[in-house]
Structure formats: structure tokens, C-alpha cells
């Protein structure tokens, strides 16, 4: 007698395959917290001040993963609106007899490559690439009692690491840390004077991703 061929069916919607496949395009959102280090140095050597702005952030990300065995290669871009704000007071500057420097980080963005190692539904990864930050700097040191504001978008580099878990066929959650370094740049708040601002930004993000297409077995 003929033996009927078995019929293979895709797993029903909402059920993860036995071995998860990370390959595919994805899009998602994130929230988190950021803190920064800003060093202000006068070109004439009159002062050297530091501030530590901090605050919450939120935004979105999109990217692509390709899995080879347990290795996962990918690329990702993200954008975060931030409330990373803060400043410092400087005493003993003439004029004026004291002053302040303040920074508002309006947004940050990164474009990175990712390399990860998958343990079925778990993915541990590192990332690195290019970073941008849009800052508003303000001070009254050179124009007391008035304040001078400057807004600039700076470019630097970033590196980070994270862990991601696929909790549904197309959905995953991640927790990651990013370090962004923008180096040193001179700004002129008054004619004939310049201030060097060195800055780094740290960010911890919790995100949710949606992967397009149903993930089959790896």
C-alpha cells in the first residue's frame, strides 16, 4: 500500500518556531535615559569648567539583520529626542564676577553596524559607527548681564552593546547602552574670544522592535 506523504504546516500565528531566525528588516521605538560630560575651556586659559547634563530620551530605530549560523550581522539607524540638559557656574571671571555655561542636547542620532551572537530567541550584540548630536549652548560669561546662545550639530563616533529577546514571532524587546564621543570643538560667543567644548554622551535605551515577515526555522 502507498504511504501518504506527511503534510508540513507553518506554525500558527503567535507561535515561535523551534529555532528563531533573526534575519529580516525591522522597525521600532525606544525610551531611555542619557547623561553627558561637557568641558568648557577658555582660549586665553582663564577658566576650565565642567558640567554633567542628564535627562530622559525617546525615539525610533530601523535596521536589518542577517543570520549565519549563530552569528547575526546587521545595520541600524536611530534617532532620539532628548531632555539632556544642565550647566555649571564659574566664579571669579572678570567680567563678570561669575557666570554660567548651559547645554541642552536637543537630539542625538546614530548609524551603526551590529555584530551579534544568537542563542535561539536571545541575541547578544555589539555595535559601532557614526553619531550626531544637536546642542544648544548658552553663556553669559562674555556678555554679562546678557546671554549668548549657539546651536550646532556635531558629528562623532559611537560604540555600544545590548541584549535582545524575541518574545513573539515578529516582536522583540531590547536593552542597550551607547557611548558617543564628539571630541573638542571651538565656539565663539564674543568677538576675539573662543571657548573649546569637549563632550561625550552616554545613553541607556529600552526598545521594542517589529520584524517584517514571519520568522521561519533557522
Amino acid at each position: 500500500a502507498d504511504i501518504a506523504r506527511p503534510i508540513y504546516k507553518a506554525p500558527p500565528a503567535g507561535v515561535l518556531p523551534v529555532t528563531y531566525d533573526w534575519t529580516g528588516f525591522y522597525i521600532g521605538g525606544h525610551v531611555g535615559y542619557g547623561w553627558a560630560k561637557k568641558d568648557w575651556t577658555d582660549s586665553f586659559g582663564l577658566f576650565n569648567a565642567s558640567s554633567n547634563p542628564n535627562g530622559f530620551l525617546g525615539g525610533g530605530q530601523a535596521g536589518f539583520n542577517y543570520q549565519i549560523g549563530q552569528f547575526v550581522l546587521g545595520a541600524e539607524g536611530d534617532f532620539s529626542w532628548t531632555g539632556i540638559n544642565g550647566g555649571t557656574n564659574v566664579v571669579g571671571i572678570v567680567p563678570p564676577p561669575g557666570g554660567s555655561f548651559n547645554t541642552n542636547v536637543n537630539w542625538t542620532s546614530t548609524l551603526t553596524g551590529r555584530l551579534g551572537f544568537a542563542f535561539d530567541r536571545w541575541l547578544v550584540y555589539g555595535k559601532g559607527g557614526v553619531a550626531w548630536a544637536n546642542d544648544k549652548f548658552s553663556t553669559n560669561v562674555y556678555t554679562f548681564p546678557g546671554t549668548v546662545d549657539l546651536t550646532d550639530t556635531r558629528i562623532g563616533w559611537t560604540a555600544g552593546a545590548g541584549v535582545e529577546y524575541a518574545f513573539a514571532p515578529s516582536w522583540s524587546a531590547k536593552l542597550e547602552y551607547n557611548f558617543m564621543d564628539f571630541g573638542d570643538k571651538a565656539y565663539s560667543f564674543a568677538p576675539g574670544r573662543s571657548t573649546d567644548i569637549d563632550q561625550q554622551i552616554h545613553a541607556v535605551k529600552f526598545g521594542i522592535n517589529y520584524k517584517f515577515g514571519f520568522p521561519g526555522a533557522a
Side-chain angles (χ1 to χ4, degrees):
D2 294 333
I3 300 177
R5 296 180 61 186
I7 299 174
Y8 295 96
K9 296 182 179 180
V15 178
L16 284 162
V18 175
T19 303
Y20 190 79
D21 185 2
W22 289 91
T23 299
F25 290 94
Y26 62 88
I27 189 170
H30 63 264
V31 294
Y33 187 79
W35 64 99
K37 176 73 180 299
K38 312 282 184 176
D39 294 320
W40 306 65
T41 305
D42 180 72
S43 59
F44 291 167
L46 298 179
F47 62 83
N48 190 325
S50 296
S51 64
N52 300 99
N54 58 85
F56 292 96
L57 57 88
Q61 68 274 349
F64 176 77
N65 288 321
Y66 185 75
Q67 184 168 350
I68 306 173
Q70 283 187 275
F71 290 98
V72 178
L73 306 176
E76 182 179 273
D78 72 7
F79 184 94
S80 302
W81 290 273
T82 85
I84 302 175
N85 305 323
T88 185
N89 294 320
V90 182
V91 179
I93 298 175
V94 180
S100 64
F101 294 99
N102 297 284
T103 300
N104 297 339
V105 182
N106 298 317
W107 55 262
T108 64
S109 182
T110 67
L111 181 62
T112 59
R114 300 204 316 172
L115 174 61
F117 198 74
F119 301 90
D120 195 12
R121 304 177 193 179
W122 288 94
L123 175 66
V124 180
Y125 61 88
K127 60 188 299 187
V130 184
W132 294 265
N134 181 265
D135 297 278
K136 178 183 177 181
F137 303 112
S138 61
T139 181
N140 65 352
V141 169
Y142 302 110
T143 57
F144 185 82
T147 300
V148 177
D149 298 330
L150 292 177
T151 301
D152 187 32
T153 299
R154 298 180 64 164
I155 186 171
W157 61 270
T158 182
V163 60
E164 192 165 355
Y165 177 72
F167 60 87
S170 295
W171 294 93
S172 61
K174 69 173 184 176
L175 180 66
E176 71 174 39
Y177 163 77
N178 297 156
F179 171 76
M180 292 165 273
D181 193 331
F182 299 96
D184 192 47
K185 187 174 181 178
Y187 294 89
S188 178
F189 293 94
R193 301 290 294 275
S194 68
T195 302
D196 294 332
I197 303 177
D198 182 80
Q199 64 175 340
Q200 295 82 38
I201 298 175
H202 307 258
V204 175
K205 304 174 183 177
F206 172 76
I208 299 290
N209 287 327
Y210 177 81
K211 186 164 79 73
F212 296 97
F214 190 87

